[in-house]
Amino acid sequence: MWYFRKHTVVSVPGLIVLALTLSFGIAFFAYIGVANKRSRLVKRNEFLYMWEAFIGTTLGLQALFVVSAYRASNRYLYWTLGWILYGIVMCALALCVVGGYGATKDAGAAIWAVLWAVPAVAISVYAAKARRGYAVDRVMGIPEFRPRLSDSRGSVLCMVALDTAFPWTTWLIGVFFALLVAIQALALANDHRLYKQPGRLVPVQTNGGEDWYDMHVWCAGYDAETQKSNRPVFVLLPDFGMPSTSMQGLMQGFANAGHPACIVDRPGYGWSEPGYWMQDPRDVVQSINQALDKYPVANPLILVGWGEGGVWSQLYMQAADATRVIGMVLLDTYPNLEILQTFALNRTTTLQNLRQFRSLGASRTDPVPVVNFDRPLERSVSRMFSDWRAVSPLALHRARNAEWPGFQPQTSLGMHKSRFRDNLHYQAKYFEYGGSGARLYQSLLDYVSPSIDSVLVYHHWPLRWPALPATAGSAFTSSLTRRQASAPVVTAVTSNIPVILIASSAQFNSDCSAHKISDSEECTKWQAFAWFYYRQQIEYQQTLSQNAALLACVGEVEEDKTE
């Protein structure tokens, strides 16, 4: 392709652009490999650098094209004005990216964008020289395009087509991707300006103490006086895919009532760094415990888990430090919704898959293995998270979320939305999902005692979970949420820690009309789900602790209307 320009690229500017283009190309493929590499500490979304290297490679190829065509004795650089404007536009977009990621203190992204300016400036400068030279040629009557005598007609037509197709194709590619990266950079800078980090970043160890990363701990109503008083602190753990902002309203409600509360962002969510990939759920709860220690929160803890956060709370009791936990609240928590729903639908493969889970349970020292319950579905979900992780630096996900579930006040909805729109949100979901939506559930199986297992087998229940440790909250005595004397007590449960199970009664309501379900097949499916949702909460009540109570919320309360 370059043989007819060999005397033009081999120049100082041409060699500089060539070296930079090769560097961009190598970096592009290197970042693809790095982004998909496992067993390592991750600090950011490397796909951002991959896209920047891709744009740099495109700019480099364009600059080589312009530089070589500018000095060619038998070539004419078409669209010189277009090349000049394109170079200016790409310089402007590079400046936007530098400013955006500079404001968010991502030096790596800013440096890559600065390097865009070298080929972009070369494009504009050499296109301007060519345009001026061709103007002089026209005055002197020299033809604009002079094919060599050795060139065939087909070769000449191919060169002319290349000079027309290459610019327009690469212009569209370069401007499209650079514009998306610039939009995300400026949007992140605006979010950074509007919404400051509300809590504190705490360094924690992972990978056996070899690596460090920062976790975000956000507290309200917790001060030095509270710490000295040794009053219980509510620790809130959000649902899967939810940042700390999703429970801000609940945390503030506790604080307004005089009870200190804290929220911990799991790796990659909110303001926490991504942490170690692949994630071991037990390592995550140990990191949460470290973050609370170093904040420091030395007071007794009451864990409040929403959705999957309730499962994280249970794992914290088993794999972290149960001695500091004096109570637990589970909000709409199920061990694993996917398994529960497939069992409710009476699918024939469910029991076989459950046996596989129990036979491949993780040991307490080895990493939790990846066992697929529904391989096609889990591969599809994992691929979806992976794809959105890859395109997050292009701002394509900013218009994806239409609903914003959680306990956040309306006044801080903007900050809540911003946490879904950064470069790390879908990476955090991808890392936490871990190729199998049941890894968190798997990590609990090794702690299930034979007595609890026999109780759940006797109840013909498909899922397993351990009872809370008997040593948890042993020094705490309270009459709150104690079982009535007439309530049945499962002898296998030795823990007496207070547990409150709160569930929405709408999940137990089998009236399809109340859920606006008209299809008979869908109605039958929902009725099966509702029954099993109710049964799961009953099983939790009877096996987690002897001091557990189940509350069903039947509608809004006055506190729901307050900010």
Side-chain angles (χ1 to χ4, degrees):
M1 176 177 178
W2 303 107
Y3 74 96
F4 49 85
R5 306 179 192 145
K6 61 183 179 180
H7 299 296
T8 60
V9 176
V10 184
S11 60
V12 173
L15 290 176
I16 292 175
V17 173
L18 179 60
L20 194 58
T21 303
L22 291 174
S23 300
F24 276 126
I26 293 172
F28 171 71
F29 290 105
Y31 277 123
I32 292 178
V34 169
N36 291 289
K37 183 182 178 182
R38 303 188 178 190
S39 300
R40 65 193 179 93
L41 187 70
V42 182
K43 288 287 187 178
R44 57 193 61 85
N45 187 342
E46 291 99 349
F47 281 107
L48 167 61
Y49 303 146
M50 182 205 75
W51 288 116
E52 289 188 301
F54 172 76
I55 296 167
T57 304
T58 303
L59 278 168
L61 294 175
Q62 291 169 326
L64 290 174
F65 182 87
V66 171
V67 170
S68 59
Y70 156 65
R71 291 185 179 176
S73 60
N74 66 318
R75 299 302 306 280
Y76 181 80
L77 181 65
Y78 286 80
W79 320 106
T80 52
L81 182 59
W83 281 114
I84 295 171
L85 294 176
Y86 175 77
I88 294 173
V89 168
M90 294 302 288
C91 282
L93 292 176
L95 184 61
C96 292
V97 176
V98 171
Y101 282 110
T104 59
K105 300 180 180 179
D106 190 337
I111 290 172
W112 277 115
V114 167
L115 296 178
W116 292 357
V118 177
V121 168
I123 289 171
S124 292
V125 169
Y126 280 91
K129 288 183 177 181
R131 185 175 179 82
R132 184 173 64 250
Y134 298 149
V136 174
D137 289 348
R138 282 192 292 271
V139 172
M140 298 177 64
I142 300 175
E144 295 177 341
F145 182 81
R146 300 185 297 279
R148 296 178 303 187
L149 294 176
S150 59
D151 289 337
S152 65
R153 181 176 178 82
S155 176
V156 171
L157 291 176
C158 181
M159 294 175 186
V160 173
L162 176 65
D163 281 345
T164 303
F166 181 80
W168 287 99
T169 303
T170 56
W171 289 350
L172 291 174
I173 293 174
V175 171
F176 176 76
F177 286 102
L179 180 62
L180 291 179
V181 171
I183 289 173
Q184 178 68 355
L186 293 176
L188 290 177
N190 186 57
D191 290 340
H192 183 77
R193 178 181 63 85
L194 293 176
Y195 313 115
K196 301 301 181 182
Q197 175 186 297
R200 186 189 308 168
L201 291 178
V202 181
V204 297
Q205 288 179 300
T206 186
N207 189 29
E210 295 184 6
D211 298 303
W212 292 80
Y213 71 100
D214 290 335
M215 293 191 78
H216 178 244
V217 183
W218 182 9
C219 294
Y222 185 76
D223 51 24
E225 183 179 349
T226 304
Q227 186 175 355
K228 292 178 182 178
S229 67
N230 208 35
R231 294 169 55 196
V233 177
F234 288 88
V235 175
L236 282 57
L237 299 178
D239 196 4
F240 172 78
M242 291 291 129
S244 56
T245 51
S246 64
M247 301 190 78
Q248 178 188 355
L250 190 57
M251 176 186 69
Q252 200 61 51
F254 282 128
N256 292 341
H259 305 292
C262 297
I263 314 175
V264 182
D265 274 317
R266 293 193 297 277
Y269 293 114
W271 287 266
S272 289
E273 291 182 339
Y276 200 81
W277 167 244
M278 290 184 59
Q279 286 183 0
D280 186 327
R282 295 166 303 190
D283 187 63
V284 172
V285 294
Q286 290 166 6
S287 296
I288 292 174
N289 190 52
Q290 288 184 58
L292 293 172
D293 278 340
K294 294 179 180 180
Y295 184 79
V297 178
N299 303 48
L301 306 181
I302 300 176
L303 301 180
V304 181
W306 167 40
E308 200 167 275
V311 187
W312 285 105
S313 299
Q314 296 175 60
L315 184 60
Y316 181 94
M317 297 284 288
Q318 304 295 334
D321 187 0
T323 61
R324 41 188 321 198
V325 180
I326 61 174
M328 181 183 291
V329 180
L330 303 182
L331 307 174
D332 284 334
T333 295
Y334 300 90
N336 186 280
L337 266 179
E338 180 183 308
I339 297 177
L340 187 63
Q341 290 174 350
T342 54
F343 189 82
L345 297 177
N346 199 26
R347 293 180 180 172
T348 55
T349 58
T350 303
L351 291 177
Q352 296 176 354
N353 293 335
L354 288 173
R355 293 191 189 98
Q356 182 186 26
F357 267 105
R358 295 163 193 163
S359 63
L360 296 177
S363 72
R364 298 181 189 179
T365 57
D366 298 332
V368 177
V370 177
V371 181
N372 296 98
F373 179 76
D374 187 337
R375 188 179 296 273
L377 174 62
E378 291 174 343
R379 281 182 175 176
S380 174
V381 173
S382 186
R383 172 53 57 186
M384 179 190 69
F385 291 150
S386 177
D387 291 344
W388 280 107
R389 168 201 179 200
V391 300
S392 290
L394 302 180
L396 297 178
H397 64 306
R398 297 190 72 85
R400 175 174 169 79
N401 294 299
E403 297 181 358
W404 309 98
F407 302 90
Q408 70 282 348
Q410 193 66 26
T411 53
S412 62
L413 186 58
M415 182 170 68
H416 181 58
K417 291 180 179 180
S418 71
R419 295 299 89 198
F420 289 85
R421 295 170 173 172
D422 62 12
N423 293 335
L424 296 179
H425 177 71
Y426 279 100
Q427 176 167 281
K429 296 180 76 170
Y430 174 66
F431 282 5
E432 189 166 277
Y433 194 80
S436 168
R439 293 196 76 219
L440 177 58
Y441 171 67
Q442 282 176 250
S443 61
L444 277 176
L445 294 181
D446 192 51
Y447 300 96
V448 179
S449 64
S451 56
I452 290 295
D453 184 69
S454 62
V455 169
L456 294 173
V457 169
Y458 180 76
H459 291 173
H460 302 288
W461 198 244
L463 296 169
R464 299 288 184 271
W465 56 87
L468 301 181
T471 57
S474 57
F476 177 70
T477 57
S478 172
S479 60
L480 295 177
T481 68
R482 289 191 179 278
R483 291 190 179 203
Q484 298 177 359
S486 59
V489 176
V490 181
T491 55
V493 182
T494 58
S495 175
N496 198 42
I497 183 174
V499 176
I500 300 178
L501 306 165
I502 302 178
S504 171
S505 63
Q507 296 188 352
F508 307 154
N509 188 354
S510 60
D511 184 4
C512 295
S513 60
H515 296 278
K516 299 181 180 179
I517 300 177
S518 56
D519 183 76
S520 59
E521 183 176 347
E522 291 298 321
C523 180
T524 302
K525 184 185 298 186
W526 170 254
Q527 289 174 340
F529 289 166
W531 168 247
F532 276 83
Y533 292 160
Y534 171 73
R535 276 288 308 277
Q536 175 59 56
Q537 298 300 328
I538 295 297
E539 296 296 334
Y540 261 161
Q541 182 190 18
Q542 295 183 354
T543 55
L544 283 177
S545 172
Q546 297 186 53
N547 198 11
L550 173 60
L551 305 178
C553 297
V554 297
E556 291 186 354
V557 295
E558 195 63 30
E559 287 77 7
D560 293 334
K561 302 175 184 178
T562 61
E563 291 292 340

